[in-house]
Amino acid sequence: MAVCTVYTVKPLNTSCSISTHTKPHMGFNQKQVFFLTKSNNKNTKNNRFRGNKITCSGDTIVIGLAADSGCGKSTFMRRLTSVFGGAASPPKGGNPDSNTLISDTTTVICLDDYHSLDRTGRKEKGVTALDPRANDFDLMYEQVKAIKDGVAVEKPIYNHVSGLLDPPELIKPPKILVIEGLHPMYDQRVRDLLDFSIYLDISNEVKFAWKIQRDMAERGHSLESIKASIEARKPDFDAYIDPQKQYADAVIEVLPTQLIPDDNEGKVLRVKLIMKEGVKYFNPVYLFDEGSTVSWIPCGRKLTCSYPGIKFAYGPDAYFGHEVSVLEMDGQFDRLDELIYVESHLSNISTKFYGEITQQMLKHADFPGSNNGTGLFQTIVGLKIRDLFEQIAATKASAPLEATKV
Ligand SMILES: Nc1ncnc2c1ncn2[C@@H]1O[C@H](COP(=O)(O)OP(=O)(O)OP(=O)(O)O)[C@@H](O)[C@H]1O
Ligand SMILES: O=C(CO)[C@H](O)[C@H](O)COP(=O)(O)O
């Protein structure tokens, strides 16, 4: 059970127990939440609770989603939130440039909010946002830990419009906290707080194609400036972002197709879902027969495929020294309603009813990647996270909370 230092205390709504030393003095019972703010700690002179120890046991599970900018994190988050049945929106009445998205079950925070240097600061120091020196990992750890322990925090906001750090916003402990961004698995202390971690591994060719599509079409950037920005970020991406994939429980790897020789359009994709074996509460998905090696072309009477077709593969492998199962899809669907044929051949998909994957994919047919393995595997990972959450919740419900003395 975690032990926290109380900085400022406001009753909200969770289960924390206070050490016997402070409990009578503070007059709290076990149904309280604590509000932790680093800045208040520094500035509050007459804080009679400062330094008191409390023990907390929050119910929040924490999911980490790592990827470079423009690699589909927001799209993935929309699919994940939808699996839990609600729409996500920024905190009501808050900063219009907040990066946070809240739904009934999930709160998604963007780790850009832990940039310690604003845009000017990074320019002056000659560092990119990917450089750990531009980020406050102590605060990230302290606040993610606090939320996990059931303690609300005042999280800073990095304003992507102005490039400045805005006044903080209150984040209350949700059922599921998703921390998405460049560095959820970089700092070991933060990594150890994660109940499940995902890395979106977009190959350079595909990343380039997506960036061009978005930044040229939607943001008016020139081809040259996009190329320059990718090149400028690459050394830090290789040094600080990419290595995090070794820690991920699931990796979605997006590569150019192998179905079209020398394809350089980047429209048809080969996508791999790499699932670590032996992760608590996570049973990897399989095709036909668990642990076997399978290659499958589903095109025919039950699945319409135009050129270049669709090919699935499944089998065991090793990834950074870990035993993994890999499910792969190359190609794209012509008709999403026929996806049910593929779904019915997959097992361990954690659906609640027959056809749930197909239903989710049809519901968000307009999201990028809905006709290929990116959308399919993001949906599957969303279902696995729901399953993980339900298993953890069931385990906690059957284990009564034990008050801990500090
Ligand atoms: N699966 C996909 N297939 C095709 N294009 C995609 C896919 N996912 C994302 N994209 C493209 O990449 C762009 C960025 O996607 P998204 O906003 O989800 O990424 P992000 O990682 O949240 O970006 P940022 O961190 O910059 O906000 C989309 O506008 C789209 O052009
Ligand atoms: O890599 C990024 C993560 O999204 C951004 O580039 C970083 O947060 C800096 O943002 P901005 O370009 O708005 O100053």
Side-chain angles (χ1 to χ4, degrees), residues 69 112 115 119 122 129 158 160 182 233:
S69 163
D112 293 350
H115 288 335
R119 203 173 283 155
R122 290 194 301 270
Y158 177 72
H160 281 275
L182 298 170
R233 290 169 70 97

Side-chain angles (χ1 to χ4, degrees), residues 67-76 210 213-214 218-219 269 368-369 372 374-375 378:
D68 197 1
S69 163
C71 286
K73 297 184 297 292
S74 313
T75 311
F76 185 14
W210 288 2
Q213 184 190 320
R214 184 181 69 173
E218 295 171 22
R219 299 186 178 178
L269 301 173
N372 63 37
T374 58
Q378 287 178 2

Side-chain angles (χ1 to χ4, degrees), residues 107-399:
T107 292
V108 181
I109 61 172
C110 174
L111 297 179
D112 293 350
D113 289 334
Y114 293 100
H115 288 335
S116 50
L117 296 175
D118 62 12
R119 203 173 283 155
T120 313
R122 290 194 301 270
K123 208 170 175 190
E124 280 169 4
K125 289 219 160 54
V127 294
T128 71
L130 299 88
D131 191 314
R133 287 172 296 173
N135 296 279
D136 187 344
F137 287 101
D138 290 344
L139 184 61
M140 188 192 294
Y141 164 66
E142 193 178 290
Q143 296 205 329
V144 174
K145 182 173 185 302
I147 295 172
K148 189 166 178 145
D149 289 343
V151 179
V153 303
E154 285 214 321
K155 181 189 60 53
I157 298 174
Y158 177 72
N159 188 320
H160 281 275
V161 181
S162 64
L164 298 170
L165 287 156
D166 282 353
E169 62 187 356
L170 180 68
I171 304 291
K172 294 180 191 170
K175 288 181 179 154
I176 300 176
L177 175 73
V178 183
I179 58 169
E180 62 94 352
L182 298 170
H183 303 100
M185 284 99 88
Y186 180 81
D187 183 290
Q188 192 188 337
R189 296 167 303 168
V190 180
R191 197 160 72 227
D192 288 347
L193 294 172
L194 301 176
D195 293 286
F196 194 74
S197 53
I198 307 133
Y199 186 92
L200 299 182
D201 188 7
I202 316 298
S203 63
N204 286 333
E205 300 95 314
V206 176
K207 199 190 285 185
F208 189 54
W210 288 2
K211 269 252 174 217
I212 289 176
Q213 184 190 320
R214 184 181 69 173
D215 292 357
M216 274 181 87
E218 295 171 22
R219 299 186 178 178
H221 296 183
S222 71
L223 185 61
E224 285 317 308
S225 73
I226 298 167
K227 270 188 192 161
S229 130
I230 291 180
E231 283 310 311
R233 290 169 70 97
K234 197 163 180 324
D236 282 353
F237 175 78
D238 291 344
Y240 309 119
I241 312 304
D242 193 59
Q244 292 175 85
K245 63 190 181 194
Q246 67 188 291
Y247 305 117
D249 297 317
V251 176
I252 297 179
E253 192 175 297
V254 185
L255 304 150
T257 181
Q258 286 185 335
L259 299 173
I260 305 170
D262 303 320
D263 175 63
N264 51 16
E265 265 194 71
K267 282 197 178 136
V268 182
L269 301 173
R270 178 163 73 109
V271 188
K272 289 182 176 191
L273 175 57
I274 302 165
M275 300 162 280
K276 217 177 245 179
E277 294 288 340
V279 176
K280 202 170 179 191
Y281 306 120
F282 174 59
N283 297 316
V285 175
Y286 65 88
L287 179 64
F288 294 116
D289 187 24
E290 192 169 14
S292 61
T293 298
V294 177
S295 175
W296 182 43
I297 296 176
C299 307
R301 289 193 193 133
K302 293 181 181 156
L303 194 76
T304 315
C305 298
S306 55
Y307 179 81
I310 297 178
K311 194 173 171 184
F312 275 84
Y314 162 76
D317 206 341
Y319 189 75
F320 289 97
H322 294 285
E323 200 185 325
V324 295
S325 285
V326 182
L327 179 64
E328 178 181 321
M329 175 185 164
D330 196 349
Q332 52 193 31
F333 300 111
D334 280 13
R335 294 187 45 174
L336 265 189
D337 54 336
E338 292 175 349
L339 176 60
I340 189 72
Y341 176 62
V342 172
E343 180 176 349
S344 63
H345 288 81
L346 294 169
S347 300
N348 267 353
I349 43 180
S350 302
T351 46
K352 288 198 190 285
F353 54 87
Y354 180 72
E356 190 176 11
I357 292 179
T358 307
Q359 189 200 63
Q360 281 292 330
M361 293 282 283
L362 282 166
K363 194 169 156 192
H364 302 300
D366 56 330
F367 285 8
S370 286
N371 66 344
N372 63 37
T374 58
L376 175 62
F377 294 161
Q378 287 178 2
T379 303
I380 290 177
V381 173
L383 294 169
K384 299 306 289 186
I385 290 172
R386 183 181 66 187
D387 185 48
L388 182 113
F389 164 69
E390 288 175 355
Q391 287 186 63
I392 295 176
T395 309
K396 282 192 174 169
S398 62

